[in-house]
Amino acid sequence: MKEVRIGQLGLGRIGRLHATNLCQSIPGAKLVAVADPYLNDDGIAFLKSLGVERWGKDEEEIFAAKDIDAVLICSPTGTHPDFIRRAAAAGKHIFCEKPVGLDIPDIESALDAVKKAGVKLQLGFVRRFDHNHKKVRDVVASGRLGAPHVVKVCSRDPEQPPEAYVAVSGGIFVDMMIHDFDMARYLSGSEVTEVVAYGTNKIDPFFAKYDDVDTAIVMLKFENGAIGVIDNSRAARYGYDQRVEVHCDKGCVQDGNDLIDMSMISTADGVVCEKPTWFFLERYNNAFIAEVKDFINAVANDAPVPVDGHDGLMAVKIAIAAKESLKENRPVKVV
Amino acid sequence: MKEVRIGQLGLGRIGRLHATNLCQSIPGAKLVAVADPYLNDDGIAFLKSLGVERWGKDEEEIFAAKDIDAVLICSPTGTHPDFIRRAAAAGKHIFCEKPVGLDIPDIESALDAVKKAGVKLQLGFVRRFDHNHKKVRDVVASGRLGAPHVVKVCSRDPEQPPEAYVAVSGGIFVDMMIHDFDMARYLSGSEVTEVVAYGTNKIDPFFAKYDDVDTAIVMLKFENGAIGVIDNSRAARYGYDQRVEVHCDKGCVQDGNDLIDMSMISTADGVVCEKPTWFFLERYNNAFIAEVKDFINAVANDAPVPVDGHDGLMAVKIAIAAKESLKENRPVKVV
Amino acid sequence: MKEVRIGQLGLGRIGRLHATNLCQSIPGAKLVAVADPYLNDDGIAFLKSLGVERWGKDEEEIFAAKDIDAVLICSPTGTHPDFIRRAAAAGKHIFCEKPVGLDIPDIESALDAVKKAGVKLQLGFVRRFDHNHKKVRDVVASGRLGAPHVVKVCSRDPEQPPEAYVAVSGGIFVDMMIHDFDMARYLSGSEVTEVVAYGTNKIDPFFAKYDDVDTAIVMLKFENGAIGVIDNSRAARYGYDQRVEVHCDKGCVQDGNDLIDMSMISTADGVVCEKPTWFFLERYNNAFIAEVKDFINAVANDAPVPVDGHDGLMAVKIAIAAKESLKENRPVKVV
Amino acid sequence: MKEVRIGQLGLGRIGRLHATNLCQSIPGAKLVAVADPYLNDDGIAFLKSLGVERWGKDEEEIFAAKDIDAVLICSPTGTHPDFIRRAAAAGKHIFCEKPVGLDIPDIESALDAVKKAGVKLQLGFVRRFDHNHKKVRDVVASGRLGAPHVVKVCSRDPEQPPEAYVAVSGGIFVDMMIHDFDMARYLSGSEVTEVVAYGTNKIDPFFAKYDDVDTAIVMLKFENGAIGVIDNSRAARYGYDQRVEVHCDKGCVQDGNDLIDMSMISTADGVVCEKPTWFFLERYNNAFIAEVKDFINAVANDAPVPVDGHDGLMAVKIAIAAKESLKENRPVKVV
């Protein structure tokens, strides 16, 4: 198998995660160069420690490089559609972090560019690669439980993000629940046609300043007649709570959280087990590796990508509908 | 403690359950007489086997009896408000099965009669007496987890009722989810102010004939700012699935199902545990006894009843709002 | 089905339990008379409250009564063989609490008397009627997992008994582990041929005064080639811990404890579940009813008893061998 | 921190595992050279793929190399004591796979050599580094549950090894249960003073040919008055079953298996969860990395090793005593 040569855009938290995985855990991939307009000495030292040999502040060097087969887009959301268009124009395959964008026409234009260029585009919906959620989806997709009736996703972060983050996050639906919208499509195997959202501000008063909520529930209708519900909280003090459930004709399949360990301590005060693993780096660590392995395989062997541009687009559409629903207190179609 | 002498109205399935419990499991109560317009030889034999000595077809004999302190109303829902008014007029304390009625003004008039007569009225929301749900509520009510943010109730019957039942049931919200509406109020310690309902028909086509659904999800807003969600299914082939969860400031409390047994069989095919207990008679058996014990205690010792007429009224109001929400596909206030 | 008329010998803790069950939970049985040499006003009031009409201090009245079909022996262990012989001589069927006796020839003579009289004798190994243990045994007995290799029983009381009790209990093997020896035979479907015991005194120093231990482990060899192990503790501060496990050709079947409730509380401090139910009255409540129902059925319908005199004898033989093993620190054959 | 330069002896299954970890997952270590008398083209290709630059068939090149700080001994057990002596003589620190040897005087002479040379020796009891077992031990060691009373270890392989392996393995106690003997010492924090063993041949007849058993239970006495039990099976068809439990003054701490995933599928046939992870590579993967990280740290920072030569010696002594106990059917002191 030919080595896939990667250029990466962005070296923030998620960028460092992908860079580390590319260099240490993903055979067949080589991280050739990294561009980030905010690259500093610390970032350079980090890249050197990984053995990466080229870096800079200008993304154009990545798009222009003849020896780069594919790009990983880990830059801020606002840049995604533009970077996708430029990468496609340069004939490079693309792995792009979620969300694919914030504006539907902008996203659609980027997807058009990908289509015309004939390059591959994979979206970073990492949870599809989690062993637990994937098992639930595989059971549903196998048909052994019959048709899905109800899809449930519970997703809670262990602690609220800083106020500065919330100020620019785009709100809980676009920033956080977007993963769960994708999960709902993934589990049900069907498109979402309508949503209705309830939200409340219980965790930190600053959410209200940005017209945002910290706690939300969204109901969904699916094309196949199933219905669903997602609940999100910005703060579960016991850790990252990530559970899904699909109730079907013949039964129900659900998952639980990975735990810190499988211990059980029994005393007069009760029986104490461990908490879920702390946050996404702990819970989805292997999934981050698996999604990029799949991307590398798709590029190297001209195989289909497991999560594509349409998946990216639909999740954003649902998020925008949910936001509108919460604002107007009415069900909103996903069109 | 003075013995509480009971007259019972209705000897259907739930009536027989209460009669049996009164005679075998509830010290301090005596089932003196039973009236049911459809009473037949089989019913009489059943009562004899319990040692009950008086029976008949005319409820008036119960209301008129001087030696009866309290009535148990186990007759069809349509009769509840009228029987409550007549029992109150006769000065008898009242235990009434859910729902308290189907028409709000009718219910309100019955509650007025109770108030004027100064008798006690307890509603049969049996799930409040289940050891699992009660524990969840007690943890929330203790305040140790802080304020509730999200209240979740999952309630699935093991198999759909017969078509004839569905034809007259009043629909999933009034007949089935009414228990969960009460549970939501019980767990949150707050009134429901608005609901929005999604429903679908996935289990049996006949539900559609009666303008009913067999699968439903309802979101709720509470007065205290919490939000909630209930999901119902008429058929979970693995048994009666009854789970609740309350996510709060400092953590989450939830319960699981009682299981048929605690066995675990590990083979190459997987690890198999037992299913939930089959249906409400199995799961809520002890709760049916506990609720009537509490009623008997309230009567004998002039203590407050644990579930009152207001609880009965509010659950019906929420159910009616949910029905309207499903029909009109919009959030509906509970007023 | 003809009513089975019962005379009961002994009205201590276990005697009251059986009397209550006979009067309230076991159709087809009638508790006609009770004899206990220590019967006092409190005991008489208790019997009156159950509706029992005959009582006295002399067991001979029970044996002599023409209207009594069967006896329940709930008196101290020392009396068991004699009472069995006398009941058999009177042609009465016998339910006898464990252990059947303490002296092998004495037990054998009692069993001979039963055989000659052609009456039924059932031993009170109540744990065989527990839903969890029974399920494990049924899976093993079905043969679906192949031959058993290893049988494990863990049995811990929630707190040590009073010193006065230990002084006369006969020691941990005869008093406590005897249940587990029976369980080992029940689960394996095979006779125990040899045991070796380790014990230690960790809970309360007074055990040593009576040449007893409070913590013990015993390994067992079975006729069918399986091996096993039982561990006992007189004090598990988290409740009555009762777990069994059988590892077989094709897999393993085990059980867990019934819990006080199925709640789960997740906070920053961990995830807390409930403890096992407190002690044998809570855990084996239904099993106590089931075993006597089976006895009543065996008498009424001339069916075999589910636990017989041989079972009673073998458990005592194993216990005596374990005691000798601990004393002499060597494996001891069960003969 | 100075880089620790490693020479490795042996490139079999466990050797390749350690080589991979050294090159990919253990910062601060560099695998400089590998020696294995059976090294072939495949092994060389493997080393090249890891970036290892020196290899050969003669271990003496490792001992003689001036640029090597420490050795990893992954060669057959029979070579361990000799290699330890030679490494110590060369002033190199030593990580040695279990068991440290098979003959007590030979082991003792090797430990003497280590002591005289003043080098570090760490034994490969990898299970001490498993997150689950470590948590159990940490709870016991913290003293929060009071003194340990009973230590239980259940350890079952998913399938029996090939006959050729059993022929030279040294038997179940030295080859397999040695891990559990170390675990018993680790959990209890106390020395084992006596053991008694039962064994049986239920899985494959060939074990008997080599005077071996495939199923064994061993009871243990500890210096601190606790008692314990280990059960081993060579074949659990549901996967690698690794559970430990310590019952103490104030309660019990135990662990469960890591599972393949946390899914739960509920149907009319039961509730199916996943099996334990398949075997030691899956279960103890992170533990293999953690133990060598600790060794590297001990060497680089002159810190104590977490598992030392005494631990290696004691586990072998217990295993030899267990073997003798099984043969002679009597308890055997560990001296």
Side-chain angles (χ1 to χ4, degrees):
Chain A
M1 192 174 95
K2 184 181 154 290
E3 191 179 60
V4 177
R5 296 175 60 86
I6 306 280
Q8 184 176 305
L9 302 159
L11 196 66
R13 186 170 59 169
I14 200 76
R16 288 184 179 219
L17 172 70
H18 281 304
T20 304
N21 287 343
L22 278 169
C23 295
Q24 294 180 347
S25 309
I26 300 174
K30 182 168 175 63
L31 180 54
V32 172
V34 173
D36 187 313
Y38 302 102
L39 191 68
N40 57 17
D41 287 353
D42 179 62
I44 292 169
F46 170 78
L47 291 173
K48 280 185 180 169
S49 79
L50 290 176
V52 178
E53 290 166 3
R54 276 157 53 190
W55 52 78
K57 296 195 170 186
D58 184 0
E59 71 274 5
E60 191 49 38
E61 291 178 18
I62 302 283
F63 296 128
K66 299 287 180 222
D67 64 341
I68 286 178
D69 305 311
V71 297
L72 247 73
I73 302 179
C74 310
S75 49
T77 302
T79 66
H80 291 182
D82 179 49
F83 284 7
I84 290 172
R85 279 184 294 263
R86 289 161 71 187
K92 300 195 187 319
H93 301 290
I94 306 157
F95 178 98
C96 181
E97 267 303 320
K98 47 79 14 192
V100 64
L102 295 171
D103 175 78
I104 300 298
D106 196 23
I107 297 170
E108 287 174 336
S109 121
L111 299 192
D112 277 350
V114 166
K115 200 173 172 187
K116 276 175 203 145
V119 295
K120 292 177 191 298
L121 168 62
Q122 180 174 333
L123 260 291
F125 285 122
V126 65
R127 295 184 195 179
R128 292 189 181 211
F129 299 83
D130 174 65
H131 60 154
N132 297 325
H133 303 329
K134 186 174 185 314
K135 169 71 170 287
V136 172
R137 183 264 187 182
D138 289 350
V139 169
V140 175
S142 76
R144 54 188 272 215
L145 297 185
H149 298 184
V150 174
V151 176
K152 291 165 73 174
V153 178
C154 175
S155 173
R156 297 176 187 149
D157 286 351
E159 54 187 10
Q160 64 269 48
E163 182 171 344
Y165 179 90
V166 170
V168 300
S169 75
I172 194 167
F173 300 115
V174 173
D175 174 58
M176 179 176 174
M177 204 182 276
I178 195 158
H179 275 298
D180 308 301
F181 293 134
D182 181 65
M183 187 53 55
R185 293 179 66 249
Y186 174 65
L187 294 174
S188 67
S190 182
E191 293 295 354
V192 173
T193 58
E194 188 189 292
V195 293
V196 57
Y198 272 11
T200 191
N201 181 206
K202 301 292 281 186
I203 294 164
D204 215 316
F206 69 64
F207 285 93
K209 285 171 57 180
Y210 307 99
D211 218 18
D212 200 1
V213 293
D214 49 38
T215 303
I217 312 181
V218 172
M219 292 199 301
L220 311 98
K221 287 184 186 164
F222 297 92
E223 219 165 64
N224 63 7
I227 51 180
V229 65
I230 298 167
D231 71 284
N232 269 192
S233 168
R234 286 285 194 183
R237 305 305 175 190
Y238 51 93
Y240 197 42
D241 196 351
Q242 300 278 300
R243 290 171 283 151
V244 307
E245 176 176 334
V246 185
H247 182 60
C248 303
D249 278 349
K250 295 178 190 163
C252 182
V253 54
Q254 63 197 100
D255 64 18
N257 291 299
D258 287 343
L259 306 180
I260 292 174
D261 62 54
M262 303 298 271
S263 65
M264 184 168 114
I265 305 171
S266 304
T267 69
D269 297 328
V271 175
V272 182
C273 297
E274 257 301 350
K275 294 172 288 185
T277 49
W278 179 243
F279 209 168
F280 67 93
L281 288 179
E282 291 81 11
R283 167 65 183 268
Y284 294 127
N285 190 33
N286 291 329
F288 279 113
I289 294 171
E291 65 171 358
V292 177
K293 275 189 178 169
D294 265 23
F295 174 66
I296 296 302
N297 176 61
V299 170
N301 301 308
D302 195 16
V305 293
V307 198
D308 64 17
H310 175 72
D311 295 318
L313 175 67
M314 291 313 296
V316 176
K317 282 188 172 180
I318 303 169
I320 290 172
K323 206 167 171 175
E324 187 180 334
S325 170
L326 183 68
K327 196 174 169 193
E328 305 191 358
N329 198 32
R330 61 172 182 87
V332 173
K333 300 277 178 220
V334 178
V335 285
Chain B
M1 193 173 97
K2 185 180 153 290
E3 192 181 58
V4 176
R5 297 176 60 85
I6 306 280
Q8 184 175 307
L9 302 158
L11 196 66
R13 185 170 60 170
I14 200 79
R16 287 185 179 219
L17 172 69
H18 282 304
T20 304
N21 288 343
L22 279 169
C23 295
Q24 294 180 347
S25 308
I26 300 174
K30 182 167 176 64
L31 181 53
V32 172
V34 172
D36 187 312
Y38 301 104
L39 191 67
N40 57 17
D41 287 352
D42 179 63
I44 293 169
F46 170 78
L47 291 173
K48 279 185 181 170
S49 79
L50 290 176
V52 178
E53 289 165 5
R54 275 155 55 189
W55 52 77
K57 297 196 168 183
D58 183 0
E59 72 274 5
E60 192 49 38
E61 290 178 19
I62 302 284
F63 297 128
K66 298 288 180 221
D67 64 342
I68 287 178
D69 305 312
V71 299
L72 247 73
I73 303 178
C74 309
S75 48
T77 302
T79 66
H80 291 183
D82 179 48
F83 284 6
I84 291 172
R85 279 185 293 262
R86 289 161 71 188
K92 299 195 187 320
H93 301 290
I94 305 156
F95 178 99
C96 183
E97 267 305 319
K98 48 73 28 187
V100 64
L102 296 169
D103 176 76
I104 301 297
D106 196 23
I107 297 170
E108 287 174 337
S109 122
L111 300 191
D112 278 350
V114 166
K115 200 173 174 188
K116 276 174 205 146
V119 296
K120 292 177 191 297
L121 168 62
Q122 180 173 333
L123 260 291
F125 285 123
V126 65
R127 295 185 195 178
R128 292 189 181 211
F129 299 83
D130 173 67
H131 59 156
N132 297 325
H133 304 330
K134 187 174 185 313
K135 170 71 169 287
V136 172
R137 182 263 187 184
D138 288 351
V139 169
V140 175
S142 76
R144 55 188 271 215
L145 298 184
H149 299 183
V150 174
V151 175
K152 293 165 72 175
V153 178
C154 175
S155 172
R156 297 175 187 148
D157 285 351
E159 55 187 7
Q160 63 269 48
E163 181 171 346
Y165 179 90
V166 171
V168 300
S169 76
I172 195 168
F173 301 114
V174 173
D175 174 59
M176 180 175 173
M177 204 182 276
I178 195 159
H179 275 299
D180 308 301
F181 294 133
D182 182 65
M183 188 54 55
R185 293 178 65 248
Y186 175 65
L187 294 174
S188 67
S190 182
E191 292 295 352
V192 172
T193 57
E194 187 189 292
V195 293
V196 57
Y198 272 11
T200 190
N201 181 205
K202 302 290 281 186
I203 293 164
D204 214 316
F206 69 65
F207 284 94
K209 285 172 55 180
Y210 306 99
D211 219 18
D212 201 0
V213 293
D214 49 37
T215 303
I217 313 180
V218 172
M219 292 198 302
L220 311 97
K221 287 183 186 166
F222 296 91
E223 220 166 63
N224 64 8
I227 51 180
V229 64
I230 298 166
D231 71 285
N232 269 192
S233 168
R234 285 284 194 184
R237 305 306 174 188
Y238 52 93
Y240 197 42
D241 196 352
Q242 301 278 299
R243 290 171 283 151
V244 307
E245 176 175 334
V246 185
H247 182 60
C248 303
D249 278 349
K250 296 178 190 163
C252 182
V253 55
Q254 62 197 103
D255 65 19
N257 290 299
D258 287 342
L259 306 180
I260 292 174
D261 62 54
M262 304 298 272
S263 65
M264 185 169 115
I265 305 171
S266 303
T267 70
D269 297 327
V271 175
V272 183
C273 297
E274 257 302 346
K275 293 173 289 185
T277 49
W278 179 243
F279 210 169
F280 66 94
L281 287 180
E282 291 80 11
R283 168 65 183 268
Y284 294 127
N285 189 33
N286 291 329
F288 279 113
I289 294 172
E291 66 172 355
V292 178
K293 274 189 180 170
D294 265 24
F295 174 66
I296 296 301
N297 176 60
V299 170
N301 300 308
D302 196 17
V305 292
V307 197
D308 63 17
H310 174 71
D311 296 317
L313 174 67
M314 292 312 297
V316 176
K317 283 188 172 179
I318 302 169
I320 290 172
K323 207 168 172 175
E324 187 180 333
S325 170
L326 183 68
K327 197 174 168 192
E328 306 190 358
N329 199 32
R330 61 172 181 86
V332 173
K333 300 278 179 219
V334 178
V335 285
Chain C
M1 192 172 98
K2 185 181 152 291
E3 192 181 58
V4 176
R5 298 174 60 85
I6 305 280
Q8 183 176 308
L9 303 157
L11 196 66
R13 185 170 60 170
I14 200 77
R16 287 183 179 219
L17 172 70
H18 282 303
T20 303
N21 288 342
L22 278 170
C23 294
Q24 294 181 346
S25 310
I26 300 173
K30 183 170 175 61
L31 181 54
V32 172
V34 173
D36 187 313
Y38 301 103
L39 189 68
N40 56 18
D41 287 352
D42 179 63
I44 293 169
F46 170 78
L47 291 173
K48 280 184 181 171
S49 78
L50 290 175
V52 177
E53 290 165 4
R54 274 156 54 189
W55 53 78
K57 297 196 169 185
D58 183 0
E59 72 274 5
E60 191 48 38
E61 290 178 19
I62 302 284
F63 297 129
K66 297 289 180 221
D67 63 343
I68 287 177
D69 304 312
V71 299
L72 247 73
I73 303 178
C74 309
S75 49
T77 302
T79 66
H80 291 182
D82 179 48
F83 284 6
I84 290 172
R85 278 185 294 262
R86 289 162 70 187
K92 299 193 188 318
H93 302 290
I94 305 156
F95 178 99
C96 181
E97 268 304 319
K98 47 79 15 191
V100 63
L102 296 169
D103 175 76
I104 300 298
D106 195 23
I107 297 170
E108 287 175 336
S109 121
L111 299 191
D112 277 350
V114 166
K115 199 173 174 186
K116 275 175 205 146
V119 295
K120 292 177 190 298
L121 168 63
Q122 180 174 334
L123 259 290
F125 285 123
V126 65
R127 296 185 193 178
R128 292 189 180 211
F129 299 82
D130 174 67
H131 59 155
N132 297 325
H133 304 329
K134 186 172 185 316
K135 170 71 169 288
V136 172
R137 183 264 187 183
D138 288 350
V139 169
V140 175
S142 76
R144 55 188 272 213
L145 297 185
H149 298 183
V150 174
V151 175
K152 292 165 72 176
V153 178
C154 175
S155 173
R156 296 174 188 150
D157 286 351
E159 56 187 8
Q160 65 269 47
E163 181 171 346
Y165 179 90
V166 171
V168 299
S169 75
I172 195 167
F173 300 115
V174 172
D175 174 58
M176 179 176 174
M177 203 181 277
I178 195 158
H179 275 299
D180 308 301
F181 293 134
D182 182 65
M183 188 53 56
R185 294 179 64 248
Y186 175 66
L187 294 174
S188 67
S190 182
E191 293 295 351
V192 172
T193 57
E194 188 188 292
V195 292
V196 56
Y198 272 12
T200 190
N201 181 205
K202 301 292 281 187
I203 293 165
D204 215 316
F206 69 65
F207 285 94
K209 285 171 57 179
Y210 306 98
D211 218 18
D212 201 359
V213 293
D214 48 38
T215 303
I217 311 180
V218 171
M219 291 198 303
L220 311 97
K221 286 183 186 165
F222 295 92
E223 220 166 64
N224 64 7
I227 52 180
V229 64
I230 298 166
D231 72 283
N232 269 192
S233 167
R234 287 284 194 182
R237 305 306 175 187
Y238 52 94
Y240 197 42
D241 196 352
Q242 301 278 299
R243 290 172 283 151
V244 307
E245 176 175 335
V246 185
H247 183 59
C248 302
D249 277 350
K250 296 178 190 163
C252 182
V253 54
Q254 61 197 104
D255 65 19
N257 290 300
D258 287 343
L259 306 181
I260 291 173
D261 62 53
M262 303 299 271
S263 65
M264 186 169 114
I265 305 170
S266 303
T267 70
D269 297 327
V271 175
V272 182
C273 297
E274 257 300 348
K275 294 172 288 182
T277 49
W278 179 244
F279 208 169
F280 67 94
L281 287 180
E282 291 81 11
R283 167 65 183 266
Y284 294 127
N285 189 32
N286 291 330
F288 279 113
I289 293 171
E291 65 172 355
V292 177
K293 275 189 178 168
D294 265 24
F295 174 66
I296 297 300
N297 176 61
V299 170
N301 301 309
D302 195 17
V305 292
V307 197
D308 64 16
H310 175 71
D311 295 318
L313 175 67
M314 291 313 297
V316 176
K317 283 189 172 179
I318 302 168
I320 290 173
K323 206 168 171 175
E324 186 179 333
S325 170
L326 182 69
K327 196 174 169 191
E328 305 190 359
N329 199 32
R330 61 173 182 85
V332 173
K333 300 279 179 218
V334 178
V335 286
Chain D
M1 191 173 99
K2 185 180 154 291
E3 191 181 60
V4 177
R5 298 175 61 84
I6 305 281
Q8 183 176 305
L9 302 158
L11 196 66
R13 185 170 61 169
I14 199 77
R16 287 183 179 221
L17 172 70
H18 282 304
T20 304
N21 287 343
L22 278 169
C23 295
Q24 294 180 346
S25 309
I26 299 173
K30 183 170 175 63
L31 180 54
V32 173
V34 174
D36 187 313
Y38 300 103
L39 190 68
N40 57 16
D41 287 352
D42 179 63
I44 292 169
F46 169 79
L47 291 173
K48 280 184 180 171
S49 78
L50 290 175
V52 177
E53 291 165 3
R54 275 156 53 189
W55 53 78
K57 297 195 169 186
D58 183 0
E59 72 273 5
E60 191 49 37
E61 290 178 18
I62 302 283
F63 296 128
K66 296 288 181 225
D67 64 343
I68 286 177
D69 304 313
V71 299
L72 246 71
I73 302 179
C74 310
S75 49
T77 302
T79 66
H80 291 182
D82 179 49
F83 284 7
I84 291 172
R85 279 185 294 263
R86 288 161 70 188
K92 300 196 187 317
H93 301 290
I94 305 156
F95 178 98
C96 181
E97 267 305 320
K98 48 80 15 190
V100 65
L102 296 170
D103 175 78
I104 301 297
D106 196 24
I107 297 169
E108 287 174 337
S109 120
L111 300 192
D112 277 351
V114 167
K115 198 172 174 186
K116 275 175 204 144
V119 295
K120 292 178 190 298
L121 167 63
Q122 180 174 332
L123 259 291
F125 284 123
V126 66
R127 296 185 194 180
R128 292 189 181 211
F129 299 84
D130 174 66
H131 59 157
N132 297 325
H133 303 330
K134 186 173 184 314
K135 169 71 170 287
V136 172
R137 182 263 188 184
D138 288 351
V139 169
V140 175
S142 75
R144 54 189 272 214
L145 297 185
H149 298 183
V150 173
V151 175
K152 292 166 73 176
V153 178
C154 175
S155 173
R156 296 175 188 150
D157 286 351
E159 56 187 9
Q160 64 269 47
E163 181 171 346
Y165 178 90
V166 171
V168 300
S169 75
I172 195 167
F173 301 113
V174 172
D175 173 59
M176 179 176 175
M177 203 181 277
I178 195 159
H179 274 300
D180 307 301
F181 293 133
D182 182 64
M183 188 52 56
R185 294 179 64 248
Y186 174 65
L187 294 174
S188 68
S190 181
E191 294 294 353
V192 172
T193 57
E194 188 188 291
V195 292
V196 56
Y198 272 12
T200 190
N201 182 206
K202 301 292 282 186
I203 294 164
D204 215 316
F206 69 64
F207 285 94
K209 285 172 55 180
Y210 306 98
D211 218 18
D212 200 359
V213 293
D214 49 38
T215 303
I217 312 179
V218 171
M219 291 199 301
L220 312 98
K221 286 183 186 166
F222 296 91
E223 219 166 63
N224 63 8
I227 53 180
V229 64
I230 298 167
D231 72 282
N232 269 192
S233 168
R234 286 284 194 184
R237 305 305 174 189
Y238 52 93
Y240 197 42
D241 196 351
Q242 301 277 299
R243 290 172 282 151
V244 306
E245 176 176 334
V246 185
H247 182 60
C248 303
D249 278 349
K250 295 177 191 164
C252 182
V253 54
Q254 62 197 103
D255 65 19
N257 291 299
D258 286 343
L259 307 181
I260 291 173
D261 62 53
M262 303 298 270
S263 65
M264 184 168 114
I265 305 171
S266 303
T267 70
D269 298 328
V271 175
V272 182
C273 297
E274 258 300 349
K275 294 173 287 183
T277 49
W278 179 244
F279 209 168
F280 67 95
L281 287 179
E282 290 81 12
R283 168 66 184 266
Y284 294 126
N285 189 33
N286 290 330
F288 279 113
I289 294 171
E291 65 172 357
V292 177
K293 275 189 178 169
D294 264 24
F295 174 66
I296 296 302
N297 176 61
V299 170
N301 300 309
D302 195 16
V305 293
V307 198
D308 64 16
H310 175 70
D311 295 318
L313 175 67
M314 291 313 297
V316 176
K317 282 188 173 180
I318 302 169
I320 290 172
K323 205 168 173 174
E324 186 179 332
S325 169
L326 183 69
K327 196 173 169 192
E328 305 191 359
N329 199 32
R330 61 172 181 85
V332 173
K333 299 279 178 219
V334 178
V335 285

